[in-house]
Amino acid sequence: MNHDRRTDSDAVLSLLRDALGGQAVVTDSDILDVHRYDTAKFCEAGTPLALVRPSDTAQVQEVLRIAGRHGVPVVTQGARTGLSGAANAVDGCILLSTSRMNRVLEVSADDQVAVVQPGVVNSELSRLVAEAGLFYPPDPSSWEESTIGGNVATNAGGLCCVKYGVTADFVRGLEVVLGTGEVLRTGRRSTKGVAGYDLTKLLVGSEGTLGVITEITLALRPEPETSLTVAATFDDGRKALQAAARIMAAGLQPSLMEFLDGTTARAIQDYRDMGLPAAVDGILLVQSDRGDRAPQDVATMGQICADCGAVDVAEASDAEESRMLLEARRLVNSAMEALGTTLVDDVAVPLSRLPDLLTGIGEISRDLGVTIACPGHVGDGNMHPTVIFDREDAEAERRAVQAFDRVMDLGLRLGGTITGEHGVGLLKTRHLEQELGPVSMRLHRGLRQVFDPLGVLNPGKLFTPEPDETPPVAPEDGAVRSAP
Ligand SMILES: Cc1cc2nc3c(=O)[nH]c(=O)nc-3n(C[C@H](O)[C@H](O)[C@H](O)COP(=O)(O)OP(=O)(O)OC[C@H]3O[C@@H](n4cnc5c(N)ncnc54)[C@H](O)[C@@H]3O)c2cc1C
């Protein structure tokens, strides 16, 4: 956003207050400071002009119209649990928080859908639909905090996604306010529907760059049957990953398959006593939720782990023990942060290449002398190699960034991706073209221009414009004209 097109901040604040009411427009510098960042503390953040909390779609439209007219960037924020800097402030921006748009509008058992506002927290929706005997499977480890709007905008995955699919698989339709202030409705409530391009899928994972999502229609499923969990420990993490690939290939449909390498398991145990063994190189947690078939499933899964060289295979004896194991998994991020500054990578590779990924990461760690912990949703081939370092030590930081980059190169070489679920944000902007190539990048830039011709939505995130691209300005009459 050019400085010469940014008009008087006071005028913008005054227009925002008129449109939303004074309470919904926050300029207190302490509050703004807290809202500058998401959870990827390593990424840079600018200084916002204001934080606004619209309460409905019409107010979101007003914010975007004001922003467009005055050339002010808009960064949408859910719960700011993102791990890529995608929700970080840019200088002079309006932070648009969805915290007041937090109502579940409908849960329909007949149609197996829920209609929600974007600020609804994932776990609240999950519990509410469970009361109606229904199930909303996408469950990022951040589910107690992260919002459905944020989940949709990042296409979040989670622990159950190995069996049921990621957020995109559950989004039927969206209401979205575009950068121009217009309202777009995509998709439908019915299970099937192929009319037109799939704009819903395009918007899922768009990281706040194509529009502000104001309403979401989600598919639900019947509640799963009773589940059982098995935990297998290995003296070599590669063997655990071979077991993971074999369990998936056996068609056992695990409802969860998580890997903790030795460094991660010890970090969790040091952070909180969860009964995890200390002297291991890998732990595989696998669950079956197939009710009567679950005991046979976990027995077969356990046997596969033993065949692959597990030193111990233990079935959780009851639901409480199962819950403890999963709770241990959900502590990963906090446990890592207790060790130092973290750079969380998010590569995903084909299942058969997981052992090679682990070997390659071990080599990078030794070459550069950095600690890299490796937890992952390995049933999806998704690993979160986490570089832990001391931010006060410039040399350690340089090596950490090098390690982070090399892990992405390795993921791509193994036929995978630089991000399985956390998104690109600011953290991986410079790596996107490496995965997508120039033709795809040109189409991405073109699509962004179509959805956000004024260039107000989350500038600098996901990818940067070509140097000669100057967004047009919306004059007072609202018509969009090309920049001179
Ligand atoms: C402890 C921990 C565990 C995590 N585990 C997982 C995991 O298992 N799987 C996973 O996928 N992620 C995980 N994450 C990352 C994060 O929780 C997800 O990316 C989540 O979807 C972000 O939701 P949020 O509400 O916090 O969004 P934010 O962080 O606020 O925003 C994320 C992005 O979405 C955009 N956005 C938010 N709301 C809207 C909207 N209404 N319209 C348009 N754009 C919007 C923002 O601009 C930004 O680009 C984890 C994070 C933490 C801290």
Side-chain angles (χ1 to χ4, degrees), residues 10 12-23 25-27 50 66:
D10 289 343
V12 171
L13 290 173
S14 161
L15 287 167
L16 289 170
R17 288 190 185 107
D18 287 349
L20 273 62
Q23 297 282 351
V25 180
V26 180
T27 53
I66 294 167

Side-chain angles (χ1 to χ4, degrees), residues 145-331:
E145 287 173 81
S146 64
T147 65
I148 298 293
N151 293 171
V152 173
T154 56
N155 192 6
L159 307 192
C160 291
C161 295
V162 59
K163 177 168 178 181
Y164 294 101
V166 294
T167 304
D169 299 308
F170 291 85
V171 181
R172 291 253 176 102
L174 296 171
E175 179 191 83
V176 179
V177 179
L178 303 181
T180 52
E182 297 164 286
V183 174
L184 165 75
R185 289 198 82 95
T186 74
R188 51 199 63 78
R189 186 182 171 102
S190 57
T191 312
K192 291 182 81 174
V194 294
Y197 295 140
D198 194 342
L199 298 184
T200 309
K201 279 272 195 309
L202 178 61
L203 282 151
V204 175
S206 60
E207 302 187 16
T209 63
L210 299 183
V212 180
I213 298 161
T214 48
E215 191 184 291
I216 305 139
T217 302
L218 294 166
L220 304 173
R221 296 177 57 98
E223 223 174 6
E225 298 179 70
T226 328
S227 57
L228 284 177
T229 309
V230 61
T233 50
F234 296 81
D235 57 10
D236 175 353
R238 286 176 52 98
K239 293 180 188 166
L241 298 176
Q242 279 155 5
R246 277 183 56 186
I247 290 169
M248 293 305 292
L252 291 164
Q253 293 183 287
S255 49
L256 172 145
M257 185 182 280
E258 294 291 315
F259 171 72
L260 308 172
D261 74 336
T263 308
T264 309
R266 283 185 287 280
I268 294 172
Q269 188 57 23
D270 289 346
Y271 181 73
R272 194 177 297 170
D273 183 4
M274 302 300 284
L276 298 178
V280 293
D281 196 53
I283 299 178
L284 196 61
L285 302 175
V286 199
Q287 191 174 75
S288 165
D289 65 356
R290 296 206 295 173
D292 292 347
R293 280 185 286 182
Q296 181 56 50
D297 283 351
V298 291
T300 311
M301 290 166 178
Q303 187 56 52
I304 291 174
C305 290
D307 293 347
C308 288
V311 289
D312 186 47
V313 178
E315 263 177 50
S317 53
D318 55 23
E320 179 54 21
E321 210 173 298
S322 247
R323 198 192 56 74
M324 278 281 284
L325 284 170
L326 299 199
E327 199 182 321
R329 167 60 186 89
R330 290 188 198 277
L331 287 176

Side-chain angles (χ1 to χ4, degrees), residues 352-480:
S352 61
R353 307 308 301 272
L354 276 168
D356 298 332
L357 181 67
L358 195 64
T359 303
I361 290 168
E363 284 165 8
I364 294 169
S365 165
R366 281 189 296 279
D367 273 5
L368 294 168
V370 293
T371 302
I372 309 179
C374 277
H377 311 298
V378 290
D380 296 319
N382 192 188
M383 193 75 91
H384 292 317
T386 303
V387 191
I388 301 163
F389 65 103
D390 176 3
R391 192 97 195 252
E392 304 299 308
D393 178 345
E395 170 55 19
E397 179 170 323
R398 193 190 61 74
R399 282 184 283 118
V401 172
Q402 222 180 328
F404 181 77
D405 290 351
R406 278 180 59 180
V407 168
M408 277 184 283
D409 289 341
L410 175 64
L412 289 175
R413 270 207 313 283
L414 294 174
T417 173
I418 58 169
T419 175
E421 58 179 22
H422 293 164
V424 174
L426 280 175
L427 199 59
K428 298 192 167 180
T429 308
R430 67 182 197 286
H431 300 279
L432 188 63
E433 184 154 5
Q434 197 185 344
E435 175 163 340
L436 300 186
V439 177
S440 179
M441 287 301 288
R442 178 165 53 78
L443 291 183
H444 272 70
R445 291 197 168 98
L447 287 165
R448 190 165 181 169
Q449 167 73 18
V450 168
F451 278 76
D452 180 25
L454 303 171
V456 290
L457 291 169
N458 219 0
K461 315 292 178 57
L462 198 51
F463 51 87
T464 46
E466 293 282 34
D468 59 351
E469 273 179 56
T470 317
V473 188
E476 285 300 318
D477 62 12
V480 178

